């Protein structure tokens, strides 16, 4: 049973009276409608300004991320210098090192050793 | 969006467009809701001028509520019927508490049917309005919403803040009272042989 059928069943002997009343529904005057339209426009919030499109997020390259991970350009420059020194030591002729070791090895070692024999004796070593 | 394109929009979508500043939405809402608010107020109060005041106040409240309206929270039509009903009940209470207004007589609407049918239609309308005016406020509200506005019982329950059973009981008592009030006028109103 539809809602309308149900309602008509409820209305019983009053059905035709209600039906007539529904047909002669009170209608507002044109003047009142015009005033309501003016009031609605008067109360209406101002149009929202167009929101500019948000800039696309900047894509970070993998190199930039790696650079940041190492601590920036200064850290990378230090690392590069250390690498270059290592490479130089690797390819330089071994005579230089031999000369260094053989010329006065004891004095060289003592020069490299931060503690002297006296210091070790004092420590009981 | 042009005005015509808004005819298919829901009340809620139109209200959102109204809050966003679309003038066509304001016009479409007035065309759609203005007659509804006025018609309901007229049937409740039986007075054209008062119905205009009440409907205007209800619409004004709707426009002011529009920016904070949350979609899905309430149906616009239910909200409007509720506001109109409450404003009418306030007026009816004041009326009963104050002096009797000799102008408090149902004014015919603006029907334009022809001759005899129009006369009988007006007689029926006047008689029904008089009988409605004699009902207790809540019964009148329930009968108007159910039988003249054509709403479902759950919708009426939402408007009146009642359970569906209570609405059914109110409308049943209202109909019975109307039948009693109109019993002696059946022949005059031409509905005893319908």
């Amino acid at each position: 049973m539809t809602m309308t059928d149900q309602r008509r069943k409820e209305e019983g002997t009053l059905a035709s009276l209600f039906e007539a009343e529904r047909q002669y529904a009170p209608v507002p005057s044109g003047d009142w409608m015009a005033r309501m339209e003016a009031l609605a426009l008067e109360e209406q919030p101002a149009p929202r300004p167009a929101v500019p499109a948000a800039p696309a997020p900047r894509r970070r390259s993998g190199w930039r991320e790696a650079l940041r991970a190492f601590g920036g350009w200064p850290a990378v420059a230090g690392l590069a210098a250390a690498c270059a020194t290592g490479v130089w030591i690797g390819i330089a002729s071994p005579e230089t090192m031999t000369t260094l070791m053989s010329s006065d090895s004891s004095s060289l070692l003592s020069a490299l050793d931060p503690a002297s024999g006296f210091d070790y004796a004092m420590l009981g070593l | 969006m042009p005005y015509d394109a808004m005819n298919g929009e829901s009340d809620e979508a139109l209200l959102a467009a109204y809050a966003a500043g679309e003038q066509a939405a304001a016009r479409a809402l007035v065309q759609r809701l203005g007659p509804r608010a006025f018609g309901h107020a007229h049937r409740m109060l039986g007075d054209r001028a008062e119905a205009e005041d009440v409907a205007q106040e209800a619409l004004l409240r709707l426009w002011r509520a529009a920016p904070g309206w949350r979609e899905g929270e309430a149906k616009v039509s239910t909200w409007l019927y509720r506001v109109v009903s409450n404003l009418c009940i306030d007026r009816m209470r004041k009326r009963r508490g104050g002096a009797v207004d000799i102008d408090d007589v149902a004014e015919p609407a603006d029907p334009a049917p022809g001759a005899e049918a129009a006369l009988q239609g007006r007689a029926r309308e006047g008689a029904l309005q008089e009988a409605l005016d004699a009902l207790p406020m809540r019964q009148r509200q329930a009968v108007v919403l159910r039988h003249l506005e054509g709403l479902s019982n759950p919708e009426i329950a939402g408007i009146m803040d009642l359970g569906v059973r209570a609405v059914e009981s109110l409308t049943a008592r209202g109909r019975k009272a109307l039948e009693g009030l109109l019993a002696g006028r059946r022949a005059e109103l031409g509905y005893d042989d319908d």
Side-chain angles (χ1 to χ4, degrees), chain A residues 70-90:
Chain A
F70 276 115
W73 279 114
V76 171
L79 189 65
C83 284
T85 307
V87 169
W88 178 79
I89 291 170

Side-chain angles (χ1 to χ4, degrees), chain B residues 22-47:
Chain B
E22 281 192 49
Q23 294 197 339
R27 293 192 184 95
L29 279 170
V30 169
Q31 292 301 319
R32 192 181 291 185
L33 302 179
R36 217 182 290 179
F38 170 81
H40 185 50
H42 193 285
R43 281 166 166 158
M44 287 286 289
L45 297 166
D47 181 271

Side-chain angles (χ1 to χ4, degrees), chain B residues 6-171:
Chain B
M6 295 197 144
N7 290 339
E9 295 287 336
S10 69
D11 293 344
E12 290 71 28
L14 282 179
L15 197 63
Y18 174 84
E22 281 192 49
Q23 294 197 339
R27 293 192 184 95
L29 279 170
V30 169
Q31 292 301 319
R32 192 181 291 185
L33 302 179
R36 217 182 290 179
F38 170 81
H40 185 50
H42 193 285
R43 281 166 166 158
M44 287 286 289
L45 297 166
D47 181 271
R48 195 173 186 85
E50 276 200 289
E52 285 184 349
D53 286 350
V54 163
Q56 177 172 331
E57 176 63 28
L59 289 173
L60 186 62
R61 290 186 189 187
L62 180 63
W63 308 143
R64 290 182 179 168
W69 196 275
R70 278 180 284 179
E71 207 174 329
E73 195 174 77
K75 263 182 85 177
V76 173
S77 59
T78 304
W79 185 94
L80 189 65
Y81 274 124
R82 183 199 285 251
V83 172
V84 170
S85 289
N86 289 343
L87 289 170
C88 288
I89 286 173
D90 285 347
R91 290 208 171 213
M92 284 147 67
R93 284 197 180 122
K94 278 181 194 161
R95 238 191 240 171
R96 288 187 182 182
V100 177
D101 185 357
I102 57 163
D103 293 328
D104 186 17
V105 177
E107 187 179 326
D110 306 323
E116 199 177 329
L119 285 172
Q120 197 169 64
R122 287 188 179 197
R124 282 181 171 190
E125 186 183 32
L128 183 60
Q129 188 67 57
E130 279 174 33
L132 282 171
D133 289 348
L135 293 183
M137 280 183 280
R138 300 287 272 175
Q139 280 184 29
R140 187 194 317 187
Q141 187 182 10
V143 167
V144 167
L145 288 169
R146 177 70 176 149
H147 298 292
L148 303 182
E149 304 296 343
L151 301 187
S152 69
N153 286 331
E155 281 177 299
I156 300 167
I159 292 165
M160 296 182 71
D161 257 339
L162 292 173
V164 173
R165 287 281 175 104
V167 170
E168 287 170 356
S169 167
L170 273 175
T171 48

